[in-house]
Amino acid sequence: MLKTNFENVEQRICAACERSGRSRDSVTLIAVSKTKPVEMIQEIYDLGQREFGENRPQELRDKYGQLPSDIRWHMIGHLQKNKIKYVAGRAVMIHSIDSRELAEAVSREAQKQGITIPVLLEVNVAGEDTKYGVAPGEASGLAKHAASLPGLQVEGLMTIAPFVDDPELNRPVFRKLKQLSVDIAKENIDNVSMHVLSMGMTNDYETAIEEGATMVRVGTGIFGEREYGSPS
Ligand SMILES: *Cc1c(COP(=O)(O)O)cnc(C)c1O
């Protein structure tokens, strides 16, 4: 079951890359394993997958300790300052920097550990009240601020698009995030790179790839529905 799902996602990614004249290497698949047991993660690992995403700091920490050390863990969920310690040094990237205060706190933890943490800035492109992330107009300012802090490496932008049935409805959202990253890149801010665009989930990752995603975060499409009542 998992193998079929995984192969199906892989095929769709390849097809979307082909449609948009991109190479398969230009897109990283992050298998979002939140709420799923280590046995299932190991099964996907055994198929060759190495990038996994979690949205809860303690869950990431626990799974980190129980699974092969060459897994590249991505912290994709909202991060509270008091929980940074669980992911710093374990996650290869934090996708969810959504305020100056959080950037400062991550910087402090990075300095404490003597490491540099690659980060993405989360942008609330559609302006949904329920979503974290800065408004598009604030992203450049946040990039400048984060880049001025020691121990942070700003690598790009991330967005969580609205939940919609028809992925076409999110195409403008993806296009806007891409344009924003191009605009910020043009500012040539010291220490800011805009080579990562983390966008697209199970319902719309193919559209996101067509619009320039370099990382797609797919959970349900690989692992199946999360249990009712489990944290999203
Ligand atoms: C859960 C989650 C995903 C994956 O969602 P699916 O619809 O199951 O693919 C992607 N990104 C973030 C930030 C998430 O929290």
Side-chain angles (χ1 to χ4, degrees):
M1 217 285 267
L2 283 188
K3 182 165 191 267
T4 315
N5 288 351
F6 180 69
E7 285 170 355
N8 179 260
V9 169
E10 186 53 45
Q11 268 169 19
R12 284 162 170 244
I13 291 174
C14 284
C17 283
E18 235 163 76
R19 276 198 299 282
S20 39
R22 302 180 57 186
S23 75
R24 173 62 188 88
D25 310 356
S26 68
V27 179
T28 300
L29 168 62
I30 299 175
V32 177
S33 49
K34 62 192 187 195
T35 80
K36 299 297 177 182
V38 291
E39 292 75 22
M40 286 176 88
I41 301 174
Q42 182 70 48
E43 214 175 311
I44 298 297
Y45 176 93
D46 291 339
L47 297 170
Q49 177 67 18
R50 292 295 178 270
E51 317 269 339
F52 290 88
E54 290 286 338
N55 70 339
R56 304 210 149 196
Q58 285 102 324
E59 194 174 336
L60 189 151
R61 175 200 57 188
D62 293 344
K63 288 173 172 173
Y64 178 94
Q66 294 172 268
L67 284 153
S69 60
D70 63 341
I71 286 184
R72 295 168 48 79
W73 294 101
H74 294 257
M75 175 60 200
I76 61 174
H78 180 62
L79 187 55
Q80 288 168 298
K81 290 193 213 70
N82 60 341
K83 295 186 176 165
I84 296 167
K85 56 179 183 280
Y86 299 127
V87 299
R90 295 192 176 91
V92 295
M93 185 173 274
I94 297 176
H95 290 229
S96 43
I97 300 297
D98 57 5
S99 71
R100 290 173 184 231
E101 294 71 29
L102 180 61
E104 287 162 10
V106 172
S107 165
R108 281 195 295 275
E109 183 63 29
Q111 286 175 272
K112 206 160 135 191
Q113 296 192 19
I115 58 175
T116 295
I117 304 180
V119 299
L120 305 180
L121 311 177
E122 181 171 353
V123 183
N124 185 353
V125 176
E128 290 178 288
D129 290 343
T130 52
K131 297 261 161 76
Y132 293 103
V134 295
E138 293 165 16
S140 163
L142 179 58
K144 278 191 200 91
H145 185 69
S148 74
L149 302 169
L152 288 193
Q153 182 62 49
V154 179
E155 308 261 3
L157 304 178
M158 178 271 219
T159 198
I160 302 176
F163 185 82
V164 291
D165 286 327
D166 178 3
E168 279 307 316
L169 296 174
N170 278 337
R171 193 179 291 280
V173 172
F174 298 140
R175 205 166 275 181
K176 199 164 167 191
L177 193 72
K178 169 74 187 184
Q179 187 57 49
L180 187 59
S181 82
V182 169
D183 292 344
I184 294 174
K186 276 192 199 134
E187 293 182 50
N188 277 316
I189 306 164
D190 259 5
N191 221 16
V192 170
S193 144
M194 281 287 134
H195 69 278
V196 178
L197 266 189
S198 171
M199 59 186 193
M201 309 181 9
T202 294
N203 278 335
D204 52 22
Y205 65 91
E206 293 154 282
T207 310
I209 290 170
E210 289 167 10
E211 297 301 330
T214 69
M215 287 185 179
V216 291
R217 311 178 305 265
V218 180
T220 314
I222 294 172
F223 291 100
E225 292 291 339
R226 287 176 290 274
E227 264 172 59
Y228 181 73
S230 64
S232 62

